[in-house]
């Protein structure tokens, strides 16, 4: 059987002042999931866990005495992050209060590589409601996320974008985990795209988010390459735990649209990230996590999506595609709405599914002949003042479970606003919201549909559960 891949070539279409661009399927390598190799680690980076009760001062002193450079000294975890030589790590391992030393693993945003296209575009004097937002539920006057704070752990937010209104870019309401006290301005585009899906404003321009009245708090834990280490992400989670009740409105939801495979020797139970997620859970803070973009693995192999305290979100297609020709000679059918994305990670434990891409078409495209076009999600775009289906014009197509998670984050804000689940500020509240989402999903038992290109273009296989498509309350 021949195999195919998503090309780095571009097909762009402009509609008004909103940019539409697609990934193009052409002959090449398989589009099956990424290889399941171990996650990369930070060179000479380690996380050192101490016995419960070790003070921050004693932890810092242990690093100093070992000759290690202290990077983070966490408030809500008995641990530090260091840069250290092997000899310094040996000294730390022998410290009587140290119970574990772990390499600092790297996470990546849950976005599919894609084509280029589209330049900076101004906002129009009208508002577009994307197919993705329409599928999970257009906000209404009394269901728009009012009064709900959302911490967005990502590449940052474009504070200059006219369609976004996050909390101010100040140390009191935003946090740059790479350089505490520095700006939380986005430099990778991923966070700005998520921001629009969650909370683009209800005005006369651009697009509309699922929960436009919710308040976003910027927590920068991913760099311009949409990557971030455990140590940095832990610092971001630590900040949320410390500051969630110090801001108004208080933080009740956390969006995590990144992840990684379990490292060697790591399990979901002993992962260093788990205690912080558990602490948020016990405080009633709902953590939404992208399932991942590798159909060859399940969420039980992924952190943080595999943690039972998190609400893991898989990806589907928002609307019906079309087919007008035979792609590379294959009689492939069109892809209907609510089909599982061919790239999505799933498996037992996924809470729900939401669109992570708009649609897939098979059409004739000029001299290229019959091609498959895969459309990303439409949202706010960094440094454009407008909206596109790209993270940054000319770079990746915005397709992936990252964007599915953002939509569900908006859904959760609206559930909280309408007080459909008692606000008990503990795990009971989180489980109540999980149950509400599952019980009120659209097409439960039917969707997500099997991908009709499975086995030819994608390695997607059905995981045995059709959890439906997430729906926001009206």
């Amino acid at each position: 059987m021949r195999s195919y891949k998503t090309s780095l070539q571009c097909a762009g279409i402009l509609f008004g002042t909103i940019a539409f661009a697609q990934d193009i399927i052409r002959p090449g390598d398989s589009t099956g999931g990424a290889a399941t190799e171990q996650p990369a680690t930070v060179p000479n980076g380690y996380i050192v866990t101490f016995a419960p009760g070790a003070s921050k001062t004693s932890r810092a002193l242990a690093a100093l005495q070992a000759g290690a450079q202290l990077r983070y000294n966490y408030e809500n975890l008995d641990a530090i992050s260091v840069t250290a030589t092997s000899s310094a790590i040996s000294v730390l391992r022998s410290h009587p209060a140290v119970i574990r030393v772990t390499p600092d693993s790297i996470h990546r945003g849950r976005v599919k590589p894609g084509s280029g296209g589209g330049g900076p575009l101004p906002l129009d004097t009208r508002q577009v409601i994307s197919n993705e937002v329409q599928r999970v539920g257009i906000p209404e006057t009394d269901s728009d996320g009012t009064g709900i704070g959302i911490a967005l752990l990502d590449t940052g937010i474009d504070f200059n974008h006219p369609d976004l209104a996050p909390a101010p870019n100040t140390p009191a309401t935003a946090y740059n985990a790479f350089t505490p006290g520095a700006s939380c301005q986005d430099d990778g585009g991923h966070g700005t795209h998520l921001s629009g899906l969650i909370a683009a404003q209800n005005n006369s321009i651009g697009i509309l988010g699922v929960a436009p009245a919710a308040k976003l708090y910027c927590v920068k834990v991913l760099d311009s390459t949409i990557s971030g280490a455990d140590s940095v992400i832990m610092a971001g989670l630590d900040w949320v735990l410390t500051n969630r009740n110090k801001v108004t409105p208080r933080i009740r939801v956390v969006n995590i649209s990144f992840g990684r495979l379990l490292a060697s020797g790591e399990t979901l139970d002993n992962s260093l990230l788990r205690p912080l997620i558990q602490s948020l859970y016990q405080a009633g803070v709902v953590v939404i996590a992208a399932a991942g973009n590798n159909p060859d693995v399940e969420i039980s192999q992924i952190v943080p999506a595999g943690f039972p305290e998190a609400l893991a979100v898989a990806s589907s297609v928002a609307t019906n595609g079309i087919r007008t020709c035979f792609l590379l000679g294959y009689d492939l059918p069109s892809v209907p709405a609510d089909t599982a994305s061919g790239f999505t990670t799933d498996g037992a434990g996924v809470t729900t599914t939401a669109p992570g891409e708009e649609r897939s078409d098979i059409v004739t495209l000029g001299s290229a002949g019959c091609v498959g076009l895969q459309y990303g999600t439409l949202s706010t775009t960094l440094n454009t003042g407008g909206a596109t289906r790209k993270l940054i014009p000319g770079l990746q197509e915005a397709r992936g479970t990252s964007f599915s998670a953002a939509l569900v984050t908006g859904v959760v804000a609206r559930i909280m606003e309408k007080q459909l689940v008692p606000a008990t500020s503990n795990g009971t509240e989180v489980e109540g919201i999980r149950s509400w989402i599952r019980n009120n999903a659209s097409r439960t038992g039917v969707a997500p549909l099997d991908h009709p290109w499975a086995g030819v273009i994608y390695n997607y296989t059905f995981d045995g559960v059709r959890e439906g498509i997430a729906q926001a309350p009206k």
Side-chain angles (χ1 to χ4, degrees):
M1 178 184 297
R2 291 180 291 176
S3 58
Y4 306 90
K5 71 176 179 180
T6 302
S7 167
L8 293 179
Q9 301 180 56
C10 157
I13 302 173
L14 296 183
F15 176 72
T17 58
I18 306 293
F20 294 79
Q22 314 84 37
D23 288 342
I24 305 177
I25 296 176
R26 301 178 185 275
D29 298 330
S30 171
T31 61
T36 55
E37 72 276 2
Q38 290 296 312
T41 58
V42 176
N44 298 317
Y46 298 89
I47 297 166
V48 183
T49 304
F50 289 77
S55 69
K56 290 183 68 178
T57 300
S58 66
R59 298 189 318 237
L61 182 60
L64 177 64
Q65 291 174 337
Q69 179 183 351
L70 182 67
R71 297 179 63 238
Y72 299 101
N73 198 343
Y74 303 105
E75 291 284 349
N76 298 282
L77 194 67
D78 295 306
I80 59 174
S81 163
V82 299
T83 301
T85 63
S86 58
S87 58
I89 289 302
S90 295
V91 173
L92 280 168
R93 289 186 193 277
S94 65
H95 191 285
V98 170
I99 60 176
R100 184 180 175 194
V101 177
T102 309
D104 193 1
S105 297
I106 295 174
H107 296 244
R108 304 192 187 281
R110 295 313 195 180
V111 59
K112 292 291 292 178
S115 59
L121 301 166
L123 285 169
D124 205 340
T125 55
R126 60 180 181 145
Q127 188 174 63
V128 174
I129 303 177
S130 70
N131 286 295
E132 296 80 44
V133 171
Q134 291 183 53
R135 184 65 189 91
V136 299
I138 299 171
E140 301 179 0
T141 303
D142 62 347
S143 181
D144 60 4
T146 296
I148 307 302
I150 299 169
L152 179 65
L153 273 68
D154 215 88
T155 58
I157 298 174
D158 187 350
F159 288 86
N160 301 313
H161 200 293
D163 212 12
L164 299 175
N169 187 14
T170 65
T173 53
Y175 180 64
N176 184 329
F178 292 96
T179 308
S183 172
C184 201
Q185 174 67 23
D186 192 1
D187 59 3
H190 195 253
T192 295
H193 203 91
L194 298 172
S195 296
L197 291 169
I198 298 169
Q201 298 295 283
N202 190 3
N203 47 31
S204 61
I205 61 174
I207 61 161
L208 180 63
V210 177
K215 182 59 66 177
L216 292 174
Y217 295 95
C218 181
V219 183
K220 183 172 175 57
V221 297
L222 303 183
D223 62 18
S224 61
T225 68
I226 320 179
S227 300
D230 279 346
S231 59
V232 181
I233 292 159
M234 290 163 62
L237 292 169
D238 200 36
W239 184 88
V240 173
L241 277 164
T242 299
N243 294 277
R244 61 190 175 81
N245 289 325
K246 296 179 181 179
V247 296
T248 303
R250 64 189 177 96
I251 295 171
R252 299 181 64 190
V253 192
V254 174
N255 186 99
I256 295 179
S257 286
F258 53 80
R260 61 169 175 79
L261 287 166
L262 288 168
S264 177
E266 182 183 23
T267 67
L268 293 178
D269 288 335
N270 70 17
S271 174
L272 291 170
L273 289 173
R274 180 87 180 271
L276 292 167
I277 301 295
Q278 287 174 320
S279 293
L280 289 166
Y281 176 87
Q282 291 158 3
V285 178
V286 177
V287 176
I288 308 296
N293 298 337
N294 186 344
D296 295 333
V297 300
E298 296 196 352
I299 63 163
S300 59
Q301 300 167 262
I302 301 292
V303 292
F307 298 150
E309 295 82 11
L311 276 63
V313 183
S315 176
S316 60
V317 178
T319 191
N320 293 325
I322 60 174
R323 190 198 79 162
T324 63
C325 55
F326 288 85
L327 180 60
L328 302 159
Y330 285 103
D331 185 14
L332 296 175
S334 59
V335 179
D338 298 339
T339 293
S341 295
F343 55 73
T344 192
T345 300
D346 54 18
V350 166
T351 295
T352 193
T353 291
E357 56 181 337
E358 185 181 276
R359 72 179 194 271
S360 297
D361 292 344
I362 300 177
V363 295
T364 300
L365 190 65
S367 60
C370 187
V371 297
L373 300 180
Q374 298 178 298
Y375 295 71
T377 55
L378 178 64
S379 190
T380 44
T381 308
L382 178 63
N383 295 332
T384 67
T388 73
R389 289 198 176 95
K390 299 288 181 180
L391 297 185
I392 297 176
L395 293 181
Q396 289 115 316
E397 187 81 1
R399 298 167 56 234
T401 58
S402 282
F403 314 110
S404 309
L407 294 170
V408 174
T409 293
V411 170
V412 170
R414 288 166 59 179
I415 295 169
M416 289 177 165
E417 174 201 4
K418 293 184 72 67
Q419 301 179 29
L420 297 174
V421 173
T424 56
S425 297
N426 57 27
T428 301
E429 181 177 358
V430 178
E431 292 307 322
I433 289 172
R434 191 196 309 271
S435 295
W436 194 97
I437 290 172
R438 285 175 166 166
N439 294 337
N440 291 275
S442 170
R443 303 185 75 185
T444 303
V446 176
L449 309 174
D450 291 343
H451 201 293
W453 301 355
V456 179
I457 304 297
Y458 287 113
N459 289 346
Y460 167 81
T461 57
F462 176 46
D463 67 357
V465 180
R466 303 200 189 277
E467 61 274 0
I469 308 300
Q471 298 293 288
K474 296 182 178 180

